[in-house]
Amino acid sequence: PGVVPVYPSEVNGVFVELPARVAAQLRSGFVFYDWPGEPGVVRLMCGFDAVEGDVDALLGALERAATTD
C-alpha cells in the first residue's frame, strides 16, 4: 500500500512514489535517492553485482515498511 510505480521499468532502475515514512524506514538498510523535482519519488537501482537475494531483501523490507502502522 502506498507504493506506486511512476515510470515504466526499462533497465536496472525503478522509480516509485513512496510515503515519507516508508522511505525513512528503508533508508536504514538501503541506499537510494530522491528524484529531483518530484516530491515523494525515489529511484531504486540494481548494481551490476546484485543477486536475487539482494532484491528479495529490499522487497521484504519494503513490504514490512508499507504495511506497518
Side-chain angles (χ1 to χ4, degrees):
V3 179
V4 180
V6 178
Y7 301 114
S9 298
E10 296 181 3
V11 289
N12 65 334
V14 177
F15 295 85
V16 294
E17 185 175 332
L18 291 179
R21 174 188 57 78
V22 173
Q25 288 182 30
L26 287 178
R27 284 192 164 99
S28 68
F30 301 92
V31 176
F32 56 91
Y33 299 97
D34 297 324
W35 195 241
E38 297 192 46
V41 175
V42 300
R43 178 182 69 170
L44 306 171
M45 301 291 292
C46 284
F48 70 92
D49 56 348
V51 296
E52 189 173 336
D54 298 332
V55 176
D56 289 342
L58 172 63
L59 292 176
L62 178 58
E63 182 175 24
R64 287 187 299 278
T67 57
T68 302
D69 289 333

